[in-house]
Amino acid sequence: MSKPNVLVVGSGGVGSVTALSLVTRDRSTVTLVVRSDYDLVASRGIEFRSCSYGHIRNWKPHHLARSVADAARDFGPFDYVVLTTKNIPDGPSPCEHIVRPAITPHTTTLILVQNGIGIEKVMLKSFPNTIVLSGIQMVGSSYQNGVVDHIAPDNLKIGEFVPSTGGRTAHVISQFIDIYQNDNSLNSVAIDPNPKLSRWTKLVYNSVFNTITAIAGTDSNRAQIAAGSDSLIRPAMREVIAIARSDGAHITPDVVDRFCHLGDGLFYTPSMAVDRQKGQLMEIEVILGNPLAIARANGVETPILSTLYGLLRMCQLKTMEDRGYVTINKADFAGNSDEYMAIFAQKYRQ
Amino acid sequence: MSKPNVLVVGSGGVGSVTALSLVTRDRSTVTLVVRSDYDLVASRGIEFRSCSYGHIRNWKPHHLARSVADAARDFGPFDYVVLTTKNIPDGPSPCEHIVRPAITPHTTTLILVQNGIGIEKVMLKSFPNTIVLSGIQMVGSSYQNGVVDHIAPDNLKIGEFVPSTGGRTAHVISQFIDIYQNDNSLNSVAIDPNPKLSRWTKLVYNSVFNTITAIAGTDSNRAQIAAGSDSLIRPAMREVIAIARSDGAHITPDVVDRFCHLGDGLFYTPSMAVDRQKGQLMEIEVILGNPLAIARANGVETPILSTLYGLLRMCQLKTMEDRGYVTINKADFAGNSDEYMAIFAQKYRQ
C-alpha cells in the first residue's frame, strides 16, 4: 500500500511545523503550498529554529507548490488536505475556494487546523462527500522570510465536528495520527473526543483577548494594566461561556481566571492584533461573527461581544479599503444612514 | 466703569473664535493664551477664514500671552477666564492647574467652554470662592499653523452648573452675554437654563460617535456602513440616556435617531478620533469616565459604554507611553494580573 498523500495548505507558523512533523515521521508524501514566498522557499528551503526539531536549514518537504491548483495538477490526488491558513470568509479568498482544487470527492479528508466556530459548515456544504475534521493545534510558531521560529511544541488534537458512527471516519483519523505522531519528545497528536467543547474553550480566550488587543492596538498585559479585567475582559469571557452553553458546550467558569493569568508577565500580542498592525484582514467572523449568530439564535445576551464585533467590523472595513478590496463611493451613502448596511451588502459584498 | 478684563485660555478652533467674538464686540479687554504657537501668532497674528466674520489676516486680540501665568502677571487680574482647552484630567495638565494662576478669589468668573460631564467638580473644589459657569459652544472651527477655518457659526450657551439664586451669578452671566453678543448675523449667545440637560444631550452624541470612531479609527459614516447602527450605536446612546435620567436629565429618545442622521453623507471624523490619529490624549474621562461613575452610583447598567471606556483606556495608555508620560516597566507587572491596576495606580499615577 502506497503512502498517504498529504497536502498542507498555508506555510505560516502552523503550516510549516505541520509539514515538518509529517515529513519527519516519513509515513506520508507531503506537498506544501507556499504562496507569496514560493520563490524564496523553492530556492533555499525553510530554516527552522525549532524547540523540538532543532536548528534545520534548507528544509523542504517532498513537494512544493505555488498554489493549490498547481499542487492538485502536479502532485494530487490527495488523501488528506490540511488547511492551516487564516479563515476569513469576508475576505477575497474564502477557505472553500482555497481548497476546492485539491478536494477529490469520497477520497480526500479535509482537516481544518484553524480557530473559530462554525468553520465546518461551508465546507460540508461545498464538499458534501468529503470527511471534514477539526484540528486544534497548540503551537508557538511564527514564520517570516523563510525562517520559522518554533518556540512551543506542536500539540495537535483532531476529531469530528459532529460525532458519527462511521467506520471510515475513525479509520482516517487513526491513520492521520499514525502518519503525524513522531517520538513523544518531538510532537503530540491525539483524538479530540469533543471538538465543539475544545473550540468553544479556546474561543473564551480568542474571542476576548485577540479581539480587544486588535481593536485597541495593545498586548494582553497592557490591556489589563489599562482597564483591569473585571469591567471588560472577564464579563466578555462569561458571555462566550454562556453562548457555548446554549450550543451544548459546558465550559467550567474557572477558565476565565486561568485565561486571565495565562499571559502574566509575558506582554504577548495575540495573532489578531498582529494582523491588524500589519494591515491584514482579521478572522473576525469565525472568532466572533459565527458565535454571535449562535447567541442570537439561542437568545443569549451579548452586549460586550456585540460591541467588540461592531468595532472589529469598522477596523476590518478600513483594512479592506486600504487593501483595495472595497472602495467606498461616498455618493452611495449620501442619504439615510439606516440603509447603509443594505447598500453596502448590495453594492460591495456581491 | 472700566471694561471687563477677559482671559481666553486655549487658542484652538473654539478659543480663537471666542476671542474674535469678544474683540469684535469691543466691550471687554481680551487676552488670549497661545501656548505652542506663541511666536507664530505674536509675529503675524491669526488668519481667520470665517463664515461669519469674513477673511481676516494678521488678527490679534488686545493682548497675547505665552502662558496663563504670564497673562496673570502682565494683564491680570481677570474678571472672566474662559477655558476652551481640551479637558484631560488623566493627562499631565489637568485643567485646574492650567487656570489656577489666573483665578482671583471672589472676583474672577470661570467659564468652562468644554464638553463632558462633571467637569465643574474639581473646579469648585479647587476654587471655592469662584463662580464656575457652563459654556456649550456649537461652532465649526479648526486651527492649524496660525490659520482658523471657521465653517459654522459660533453659538454659545452659558449657565450655572447648579442653579442658584445668587444675584451676583445672574449679573456676571448677563454681563458676559453683553460683552459677547455681536450683531445676530455674526454670533449668538444665550442663557442656558439647564446646562445639565444640555451637556447630557450633547453627550449622547459625543460618548458614542466620538468614542467609537476614535477606537476604530474611522469616521461617523463608515462606522455605520461597517456595523449598522442598531447593534452598537443606538443601544450605546440609549445607555447614555439612561444614565442621564438617573442624574435628573430627561432626554427624549428621539435624539437617538436625530444624532444617527446628523452626519448623513458628511463622512465626518469627530474630534476624539482626530486626537487619536494625531497621537494626542483623548478626553475619555469627561466624556465617558465621569458618566460611568454616575451610572455605577445610580445602579445603571452600561455594558456597551463600559466596553468602549475600557478600550479607550487601553488606547490612552498607548498614547501616554508613546508621549513619554508613563513608562511601563515590565518587571513591575510580572506577577498576578489581578493586581495590575493597583500597581499602575500606585507606581504610575502618583
Side-chain angles (χ1 to χ4, degrees), chain A residues 212 215-217 221-228 232 234 260-261 264-265 267 276 303-304 307-308 310-311 313-314 317-318 321 328 330 333-338 340-341 344, chain B residues 212 215-217 221-228 232 234 260-261 264-265 267 276 303-304 307-308 310-311 313-314 317-318 321 328 330 333-338 340-341 344:
Chain A
I212 284 174
I215 293 167
N221 294 69
R222 282 183 169 85
Q224 292 179 77
I225 290 169
L232 171 48
R234 286 167 190 263
C260 281
H261 291 295
D264 276 359
F267 289 81
R276 185 167 177 221
I304 299 174
T307 301
L308 299 177
L311 294 167
R313 298 259 311 209
M314 296 173 200
L317 176 60
K318 180 167 185 353
E321 283 191 87
I328 299 288
K330 292 186 180 182
F333 300 99
N336 191 319
S337 60
D338 292 338
Y340 283 170
M341 285 297 285
F344 188 67
Chain B
I212 284 173
I215 293 167
N221 294 68
R222 282 183 169 84
Q224 292 178 78
I225 290 168
L232 171 48
R234 286 166 189 263
C260 281
H261 291 294
D264 276 358
F267 288 81
R276 186 168 177 221
I304 299 174
T307 301
L308 298 177
L311 294 167
R313 298 259 311 207
M314 297 173 199
L317 176 60
K318 180 166 185 354
E321 284 191 87
I328 300 288
K330 292 186 180 181
F333 301 99
N336 190 319
S337 60
D338 292 339
Y340 283 168
M341 285 297 285
F344 188 67

Coordinates of all heavy atoms in Angstrom, one line a residue, chain A residues 212 215-217 221-228 232 234 260-261 264-265 267 276 303-304 307-308 310-311 313-314 317-318 321 328 330 333-338 340-341 344, chain B residues 212 215-217 221-228 232 234 260-261 264-265 267 276 303-304 307-308 310-311 313-314 317-318 321 328 330 333-338 340-341 344:
Chain A
I212 N -9.9 42.3 21.7 CA -9.6 43.5 22.4 C -8.3 44.1 22.1 O -8.1 45.3 21.8 CB -9.7 43.2 23.9 CG1 -11.2 43.1 24.3 CG2 -9.0 44.3 24.8 CD1 -11.4 42.7 25.8
I215 N -8.4 45.6 18.6 CA -9.1 46.8 18.5 C -8.3 48.0 19.1 O -8.1 49.0 18.5 CB -10.4 46.7 19.2 CG1 -11.4 45.8 18.5 CG2 -11.1 48.1 19.3 CD1 -12.6 45.4 19.3
A216 N -7.7 47.7 20.3 CA -7.0 48.8 21.0 C -5.5 48.9 20.6 O -4.9 49.9 21.0 CB -7.1 48.6 22.5
G217 N -5.0 48.0 19.8 CA -3.6 48.1 19.4 C -2.7 47.9 20.5 O -1.8 48.7 20.7
N221 N -1.2 42.1 28.3 CA -0.9 42.6 29.6 C -1.3 44.1 29.7 O -1.9 44.5 30.7 CB 0.6 42.4 30.0 CG 0.9 40.9 30.1 OD1 0.9 40.2 29.1 ND2 1.1 40.5 31.3
R222 N -0.9 44.9 28.7 CA -1.2 46.3 28.8 C -2.7 46.5 28.8 O -3.2 47.4 29.4 CB -0.6 47.0 27.6 CG 0.9 47.3 27.8 CD 1.4 48.1 26.6 NE 2.8 48.6 26.9 CZ 3.9 47.9 26.7 NH1 3.8 46.7 26.3 NH2 5.1 48.4 27.0
A223 N -3.4 45.6 28.1 CA -4.9 45.6 28.1 C -5.4 45.6 29.6 O -6.3 46.4 30.0 CB -5.5 44.5 27.3
Q224 N -4.8 44.7 30.4 CA -5.3 44.6 31.8 C -4.7 45.7 32.6 O -5.4 46.1 33.6 CB -4.9 43.2 32.3 CG -5.7 42.1 31.6 CD -5.3 40.7 32.1 OE1 -5.7 40.3 33.1 NE2 -4.5 40.0 31.3
I225 N -3.5 46.2 32.3 CA -2.9 47.3 33.1 C -3.8 48.5 32.9 O -4.1 49.2 33.9 CB -1.5 47.6 32.6 CG1 -0.6 46.5 33.0 CG2 -1.0 48.9 33.2 CD1 0.8 46.5 32.4
A226 N -4.3 48.7 31.7 CA -5.0 50.0 31.4 C -6.5 49.9 31.9 O -7.0 50.9 32.4 CB -5.1 50.2 29.9
A227 N -7.1 48.7 31.9 CA -8.5 48.7 32.2 C -8.9 47.7 33.2 O -10.1 47.5 33.5 CB -9.3 48.4 30.9
G228 N -7.9 47.0 33.8 CA -8.3 45.9 34.7 C -8.9 44.7 33.9 O -8.9 44.8 32.7
L232 N -14.4 44.4 31.8 CA -14.5 44.2 30.4 C -14.1 42.7 30.0 O -14.8 42.0 29.4 CB -13.6 45.2 29.6 CG -13.4 45.0 28.1 CD1 -14.7 44.7 27.4 CD2 -12.7 46.2 27.6
R234 N -13.2 39.9 31.8 CA -13.9 38.7 32.5 C -15.4 38.7 32.1 O -15.9 37.6 31.7 CB -13.7 38.8 34.0 CG -12.3 38.4 34.4 CD -12.0 38.7 35.9 NE -10.6 38.5 36.1 CZ -10.1 37.4 36.7 NH1 -10.9 36.4 37.1 NH2 -8.8 37.3 36.9
C260 N -7.1 34.6 32.2 CA -6.7 36.0 32.6 C -5.2 36.0 33.0 O -4.5 37.0 33.0 CB -7.6 36.6 33.6 SG -9.1 37.3 32.9
H261 N -4.8 34.8 33.6 CA -3.4 34.7 34.1 C -2.5 34.0 33.1 O -1.3 33.9 33.4 CB -3.5 34.0 35.4 CG -4.1 34.8 36.5 ND1 -3.6 36.0 37.0 CD2 -5.3 34.6 37.2 CE1 -4.3 36.4 37.9 NE2 -5.4 35.6 38.1
D264 N 0.4 36.2 32.2 CA 1.0 37.0 33.3 C 2.5 37.3 33.0 O 3.3 36.4 32.9 CB 0.9 36.4 34.7 CG -0.5 36.7 35.3 OD1 -1.3 37.4 34.7 OD2 -0.7 36.1 36.4
G265 N 2.8 38.6 32.8 CA 4.2 38.9 32.7 C 4.8 38.8 31.3 O 5.9 39.1 31.0
F267 N 3.5 39.9 28.2 CA 3.3 41.0 27.3 C 3.2 40.5 25.8 O 3.8 40.9 24.9 CB 4.4 42.1 27.4 CG 4.3 42.9 28.7 CD1 4.8 42.3 29.9 CD2 3.6 44.1 28.7 CE1 4.6 43.0 31.0 CE2 3.5 44.8 29.9 CZ 4.0 44.3 31.1
R276 N -3.8 43.1 12.5 CA -4.3 44.4 12.3 C -3.1 45.4 12.2 O -3.0 46.2 11.3 CB -5.2 44.9 13.5 CG -5.7 46.3 13.1 CD -6.8 46.7 14.0 NE -7.2 48.1 13.6 CZ -7.5 49.1 14.5 NH1 -7.5 48.8 15.8 NH2 -7.8 50.3 14.0
P303 N -24.0 41.9 25.0 CA -23.7 43.3 24.8 C -22.2 43.7 24.6 O -21.9 44.5 23.7 CB -24.3 44.1 26.0 CG -24.4 43.0 27.1 CD -24.7 41.7 26.3
I304 N -21.4 43.0 25.3 CA -19.9 43.3 25.2 C -19.4 42.7 23.9 O -18.7 43.4 23.1 CB -19.2 42.7 26.4 CG1 -19.7 43.4 27.7 CG2 -17.7 43.0 26.3 CD1 -19.1 42.8 29.0
T307 N -20.4 44.6 20.9 CA -19.7 45.9 20.8 C -18.4 45.6 20.2 O -18.0 46.3 19.2 CB -19.6 46.5 22.2 OG1 -20.9 46.7 22.7 CG2 -18.8 47.8 22.1
L308 N -17.7 44.6 20.7 CA -16.3 44.3 20.1 C -16.5 43.9 18.6 O -15.7 44.4 17.8 CB -15.7 43.1 20.9 CG -15.4 43.4 22.3 CD1 -14.9 42.1 23.0 CD2 -14.5 44.5 22.6
G310 N -18.8 44.9 16.5 CA -19.1 46.1 15.7 C -17.9 46.9 15.4 O -17.6 47.3 14.3
L311 N -17.0 47.0 16.5 CA -15.8 47.8 16.3 C -14.8 47.1 15.4 O -14.2 47.7 14.5 CB -15.1 48.0 17.7 CG -15.9 48.9 18.6 CD1 -15.4 48.8 20.1 CD2 -15.9 50.3 18.2
R313 N -15.7 45.1 12.9 CA -16.2 45.3 11.5 C -15.7 46.7 11.0 O -15.4 46.8 9.8 CB -17.7 45.3 11.5 CG -18.3 44.0 12.0 CD -18.8 43.2 10.8 NE -19.6 43.9 9.9 CZ -20.5 43.3 9.1 NH1 -20.8 42.0 9.3 NH2 -21.2 44.0 8.2
M314 N -15.7 47.7 11.8 CA -15.2 49.0 11.4 C -13.7 49.0 11.1 O -13.3 49.5 10.1 CB -15.4 50.0 12.5 CG -16.9 50.3 12.8 SD -17.2 51.3 14.2 CE -18.9 50.9 14.7
L317 N -13.3 47.0 7.8 CA -13.7 47.8 6.6 C -12.5 48.7 6.2 O -12.2 48.9 5.0 CB -14.9 48.7 6.9 CG -15.4 49.6 5.8 CD1 -15.7 48.9 4.5 CD2 -16.6 50.5 6.2
K318 N -11.8 49.3 7.2 CA -10.7 50.2 6.9 C -9.6 49.4 6.2 O -9.0 49.8 5.2 CB -10.2 50.8 8.2 CG -9.0 51.7 7.9 CD -8.6 52.6 9.1 CE -7.5 53.6 8.8 NZ -6.9 53.5 7.5
E321 N -10.6 48.7 2.7 CA -10.4 49.8 1.8 C -8.9 50.1 1.5 O -8.5 50.3 0.4 CB -10.9 51.1 2.5 CG -12.4 51.2 2.4 CD -12.9 52.6 2.9 OE1 -13.0 53.5 2.1 OE2 -13.2 52.8 4.1
I328 N -15.2 52.7 -1.0 CA -16.5 53.4 -0.6 C -16.7 54.6 -1.5 O -15.9 55.6 -1.4 CB -16.3 53.8 0.9 CG1 -16.1 52.6 1.8 CG2 -17.6 54.6 1.3 CD1 -17.3 51.7 2.0
K330 N -18.6 57.7 -1.7 CA -19.4 58.5 -0.8 C -20.8 58.8 -1.3 O -21.7 58.9 -0.5 CB -18.6 59.8 -0.4 CG -17.3 59.5 0.4 CD -16.7 60.8 0.9 CE -15.4 60.4 1.7 NZ -14.8 61.6 2.2
F333 N -23.6 56.8 -0.2 CA -24.0 56.8 1.2 C -24.4 58.2 1.6 O -24.3 58.6 2.8 CB -22.9 56.3 2.1 CG -22.5 54.9 1.8 CD1 -21.4 54.6 1.0 CD2 -23.3 53.8 2.2 CE1 -21.0 53.3 0.7 CE2 -22.9 52.5 1.9 CZ -21.8 52.3 1.2
A334 N -24.9 59.0 0.7 CA -25.3 60.4 1.0 C -26.6 60.5 1.8 O -26.8 61.4 2.5 CB -25.4 61.2 -0.3
G335 N -27.4 59.4 1.7 CA -28.7 59.5 2.2 C -28.9 59.0 3.6 O -28.1 59.3 4.5
N336 N -29.8 58.1 3.8 CA -30.3 57.7 5.1 C -29.3 56.7 5.7 O -29.1 55.6 5.1 CB -31.7 57.1 4.9 CG -32.3 56.8 6.2 OD1 -31.7 56.3 7.2 ND2 -33.6 57.1 6.3
S337 N -28.8 57.0 6.8 CA -27.8 56.1 7.4 C -28.3 54.7 7.8 O -27.6 53.7 7.9 CB -27.1 56.7 8.6 OG -28.1 57.0 9.6
D338 N -29.7 54.6 8.0 CA -30.3 53.3 8.3 C -30.1 52.3 7.2 O -30.2 51.1 7.4 CB -31.8 53.5 8.6 CG -32.0 54.2 9.9 OD1 -31.1 54.3 10.7 OD2 -33.1 54.8 10.0
Y340 N -27.5 52.2 5.2 CA -26.1 51.9 4.9 C -25.7 50.5 4.7 O -25.1 50.1 3.7 CB -25.1 52.5 5.9 CG -25.0 54.0 5.9 CD1 -24.3 54.7 6.9 CD2 -25.4 54.8 4.8 CE1 -24.2 56.1 6.9 CE2 -25.3 56.1 4.8 CZ -24.6 56.8 5.8 OH -24.5 58.1 5.8
M341 N -26.1 49.7 5.7 CA -25.8 48.3 5.6 C -26.3 47.6 4.4 O -25.6 46.8 3.8 CB -26.3 47.5 6.9 CG -25.5 47.8 8.1 SD -23.7 47.3 8.0 CE -23.9 45.5 8.2
F344 N -24.4 48.7 1.5 CA -23.1 48.1 1.5 C -23.1 46.6 1.0 O -22.4 46.1 0.2 CB -22.4 48.2 2.8 CG -21.0 47.7 2.9 CD1 -20.0 48.5 2.2 CD2 -20.6 46.6 3.5 CE1 -18.7 48.1 2.2 CE2 -19.3 46.2 3.6 CZ -18.3 47.0 2.9
Chain B
I212 N -16.4 55.7 19.5 CA -16.4 54.6 18.6 C -15.4 54.9 17.4 O -14.6 54.1 17.0 CB -17.8 54.3 18.1 CG1 -18.6 53.5 19.1 CG2 -17.8 53.5 16.8 CD1 -20.0 53.3 18.8
I215 N -11.8 54.8 18.7 CA -11.3 53.4 18.9 C -11.1 52.7 17.6 O -10.0 52.1 17.4 CB -12.4 52.6 19.7 CG1 -12.5 53.2 21.1 CG2 -12.0 51.1 19.8 CD1 -13.7 52.6 21.9
A216 N -12.0 52.8 16.6 CA -11.9 52.0 15.4 C -11.1 52.8 14.3 O -10.8 52.2 13.3 CB -13.3 51.7 14.9
G217 N -10.8 54.0 14.6 CA -10.0 54.8 13.6 C -10.8 55.0 12.3 O -10.3 54.8 11.2
N221 N -19.7 58.0 9.4 CA -20.4 57.3 8.4 C -19.9 55.9 8.1 O -20.7 54.9 8.1 CB -20.4 58.1 7.0 CG -21.2 59.4 7.2 OD1 -20.7 60.3 7.9 ND2 -22.3 59.5 6.6
R222 N -18.6 55.8 8.0 CA -18.0 54.4 7.8 C -18.4 53.5 9.0 O -18.5 52.3 8.9 CB -16.5 54.5 7.6 CG -16.1 55.0 6.2 CD -14.6 54.9 6.0 NE -14.2 55.1 4.6 CZ -14.1 56.3 4.0 NH1 -14.4 57.4 4.7 NH2 -13.8 56.3 2.8
A223 N -18.4 54.1 10.2 CA -18.8 53.3 11.4 C -20.1 52.7 11.2 O -20.3 51.5 11.5 CB -18.8 54.2 12.6
Q224 N -21.1 53.4 10.6 CA -22.4 52.9 10.4 C -22.5 52.0 9.1 O -23.2 51.0 9.1 CB -23.4 54.0 10.2 CG -23.6 54.8 11.6 CD -24.6 55.9 11.5 OE1 -25.8 55.8 11.5 NE2 -24.0 57.1 11.4
I225 N -21.6 52.3 8.1 CA -21.6 51.4 7.0 C -21.1 50.0 7.4 O -21.6 49.0 7.0 CB -20.7 52.0 5.9 CG1 -21.3 53.2 5.3 CG2 -20.3 51.0 4.8 CD1 -20.4 54.1 4.4
A226 N -20.1 50.0 8.3 CA -19.4 48.7 8.6 C -20.3 47.9 9.6 O -20.3 46.7 9.5 CB -18.1 49.0 9.3
A227 N -21.0 48.6 10.5 CA -21.6 47.8 11.6 C -23.1 48.2 11.7 O -23.8 47.6 12.6 CB -20.9 48.1 12.9
G228 N -23.6 49.0 10.9 CA -25.0 49.4 11.1 C -25.1 50.3 12.3 O -24.0 50.6 12.9
L232 N -25.0 48.6 17.9 CA -24.0 49.2 18.8 C -24.3 50.6 19.0 O -24.4 51.1 20.2 CB -22.6 49.0 18.1 CG -21.4 49.7 18.6 CD1 -21.3 49.6 20.1 CD2 -20.1 49.2 17.9
R234 N -26.9 52.8 18.4 CA -28.2 53.2 19.1 C -28.3 52.6 20.5 O -28.7 53.3 21.4 CB -29.4 52.7 18.2 CG -29.6 53.6 17.0 CD -30.5 53.0 16.0 NE -30.5 53.8 14.7 CZ -31.4 54.8 14.4 NH1 -32.4 55.0 15.2 NH2 -31.2 55.4 13.3
C260 N -28.1 59.9 14.9 CA -27.6 58.9 13.9 C -27.7 59.5 12.5 O -26.9 59.0 11.6 CB -28.5 57.6 14.0 SG -28.0 56.6 15.4
H261 N -28.6 60.4 12.3 CA -28.7 61.0 10.9 C -28.0 62.4 10.8 O -27.9 62.9 9.7 CB -30.2 61.2 10.5 CG -30.8 59.9 10.3 ND1 -30.5 59.1 9.3 CD2 -31.8 59.2 11.0 CE1 -31.3 58.0 9.3 NE2 -32.1 58.0 10.4
D264 N -25.4 62.3 8.1 CA -25.6 61.6 6.9 C -24.9 62.2 5.7 O -25.0 63.4 5.4 CB -27.1 61.6 6.5 CG -27.9 60.5 7.3 OD1 -27.3 59.7 8.0 OD2 -29.1 60.5 7.1
G265 N -24.1 61.4 5.1 CA -23.3 61.8 3.9 C -22.1 62.7 4.1 O -21.4 63.0 3.1
F267 N -19.4 62.1 6.2 CA -18.1 61.4 6.5 C -17.2 62.2 7.4 O -16.1 62.5 7.1 CB -17.4 61.0 5.2 CG -18.1 59.9 4.4 CD1 -19.2 60.2 3.6 CD2 -17.7 58.6 4.6 CE1 -19.9 59.2 3.0 CE2 -18.4 57.6 3.9 CZ -19.5 57.9 3.1
R276 N -6.8 61.0 18.5 CA -6.1 59.7 18.5 C -5.2 59.6 17.3 O -4.0 59.1 17.4 CB -7.0 58.5 18.6 CG -6.3 57.2 18.7 CD -7.1 56.0 19.1 NE -6.2 54.9 19.2 CZ -6.5 53.7 18.7 NH1 -7.7 53.5 18.2 NH2 -5.6 52.7 18.8
P303 N -23.2 48.0 29.8 CA -22.2 47.1 29.3 C -21.5 47.7 28.0 O -20.3 47.4 27.9 CB -23.0 45.9 28.9 CG -24.5 46.3 28.9 CD -24.6 47.5 29.8
I304 N -22.2 48.4 27.2 CA -21.6 48.9 25.9 C -20.6 50.0 26.2 O -19.5 50.0 25.8 CB -22.7 49.3 24.9 CG1 -23.6 48.1 24.6 CG2 -22.0 49.9 23.7 CD1 -24.7 48.5 23.7
T307 N -17.5 48.9 27.9 CA -16.6 48.3 27.0 C -15.8 49.3 26.2 O -14.6 49.3 26.1 CB -17.4 47.4 26.0 OG1 -18.1 46.4 26.7 CG2 -16.5 46.7 25.0
L308 N -16.6 50.4 25.7 CA -15.9 51.4 25.0 C -14.9 52.1 25.9 O -13.7 52.4 25.5 CB -16.9 52.4 24.5 CG -18.0 51.9 23.5 CD1 -18.9 53.0 23.1 CD2 -17.3 51.4 22.2
G310 N -13.2 50.9 28.5 CA -12.1 50.0 28.7 C -11.1 50.1 27.6 O -9.9 50.2 27.7
L311 N -11.7 50.0 26.4 CA -10.9 50.1 25.2 C -10.2 51.4 25.0 O -9.0 51.5 24.6 CB -11.8 49.8 23.9 CG -12.3 48.4 23.8 CD1 -13.4 48.3 22.8 CD2 -11.2 47.3 23.6
R313 N -9.3 53.4 27.5 CA -8.2 53.4 28.5 C -7.0 52.7 27.9 O -5.8 53.1 28.1 CB -8.6 52.7 29.7 CG -9.8 53.3 30.5 CD -9.4 54.1 31.6 NE -8.5 53.5 32.5 CZ -8.4 53.7 33.8 NH1 -9.2 54.6 34.4 NH2 -7.5 53.1 34.5
M314 N -7.2 51.6 27.1 CA -6.1 50.9 26.5 C -5.4 51.8 25.5 O -4.2 51.9 25.4 CB -6.5 49.6 25.9 CG -7.1 48.6 26.9 SD -7.8 47.2 26.1 CE -8.8 46.5 27.5
L317 N -3.5 54.6 27.2 CA -2.2 54.2 27.8 C -1.2 54.1 26.8 O 0.0 54.6 27.0 CB -2.4 52.8 28.5 CG -1.1 52.2 29.0 CD1 -0.5 53.0 30.1 CD2 -1.4 50.8 29.6
K318 N -1.5 53.7 25.6 CA -0.5 53.6 24.5 C 0.0 55.0 24.2 O 1.2 55.3 24.0 CB -1.2 53.0 23.3 CG -0.2 52.9 22.1 CD -0.6 51.9 21.0 CE 0.4 51.8 19.9 NZ 1.6 52.6 20.0
E321 N 2.3 56.2 26.8 CA 3.6 55.7 26.6 C 4.4 56.3 25.5 O 5.5 56.7 25.6 CB 3.5 54.2 26.4 CG 3.2 53.3 27.6 CD 3.4 51.8 27.4 OE1 4.5 51.3 27.5 OE2 2.4 51.2 27.0
I328 N 6.0 51.8 31.1 CA 5.7 50.6 31.7 C 6.9 49.7 31.9 O 7.6 49.4 30.9 CB 4.7 49.8 30.8 CG1 3.4 50.6 30.5 CG2 4.4 48.4 31.3 CD1 2.5 50.7 31.7
K330 N 8.1 46.4 32.6 CA 7.5 45.1 32.5 C 7.7 44.3 33.8 O 6.9 43.5 34.2 CB 8.0 44.3 31.3 CG 7.5 44.9 30.0 CD 7.9 44.0 28.8 CE 7.5 44.6 27.5 NZ 7.8 43.8 26.3
F333 N 5.1 44.2 36.3 CA 3.8 43.5 36.0 C 4.1 42.0 35.7 O 3.3 41.4 35.0 CB 3.2 44.2 34.9 CG 2.8 45.6 35.1 CD1 3.7 46.6 34.6 CD2 1.7 46.0 35.9 CE1 3.4 48.0 34.9 CE2 1.4 47.3 36.1 CZ 2.2 48.3 35.6
A334 N 5.1 41.5 36.3 CA 5.4 40.1 36.1 C 4.5 39.1 36.7 O 4.3 38.0 36.3 CB 6.9 39.8 36.5
G335 N 3.8 39.6 37.8 CA 3.1 38.7 38.6 C 1.6 38.6 38.3 O 1.2 38.5 37.1
N336 N 0.8 38.8 39.2 CA -0.6 38.5 39.2 C -1.4 39.6 38.4 O -1.4 40.8 38.8 CB -1.2 38.4 40.6 CG -2.6 37.9 40.6 OD1 -3.4 38.2 39.8 ND2 -2.9 37.0 41.5
S337 N -2.0 39.3 37.3 CA -2.7 40.3 36.5 C -3.8 41.0 37.3 O -4.2 42.1 37.0 CB -3.2 39.7 35.2 OG -4.1 38.7 35.5
D338 N -4.4 40.3 38.3 CA -5.4 41.0 39.1 C -4.9 42.3 39.8 O -5.7 43.1 40.1 CB -6.0 40.1 40.1 CG -6.8 38.9 39.5 OD1 -7.2 39.1 38.3 OD2 -6.9 37.9 40.2
Y340 N -2.7 44.3 38.5 CA -2.1 45.3 37.6 C -2.6 46.7 37.9 O -1.9 47.7 37.9 CB -2.5 44.9 36.2 CG -1.7 43.8 35.6 CD1 -2.1 43.2 34.4 CD2 -0.5 43.3 36.2 CE1 -1.3 42.2 33.8 CE2 0.2 42.3 35.6 CZ -0.2 41.8 34.4 OH 0.5 40.7 33.8
M341 N -3.9 46.8 38.0 CA -4.5 48.2 38.2 C -4.0 48.9 39.4 O -3.6 50.0 39.4 CB -6.0 48.1 38.2 CG -6.7 47.9 36.9 SD -6.4 49.2 35.7 CE -7.5 50.4 36.3
F344 N -0.4 49.9 38.8 CA -0.4 51.0 37.9 C -0.8 52.3 38.6 O -0.1 53.3 38.5 CB -1.3 50.8 36.7 CG -1.2 51.8 35.6 CD1 0.0 51.9 34.9 CD2 -2.2 52.7 35.4 CE1 0.1 52.9 33.9 CE2 -2.0 53.7 34.4 CZ -0.9 53.8 33.7

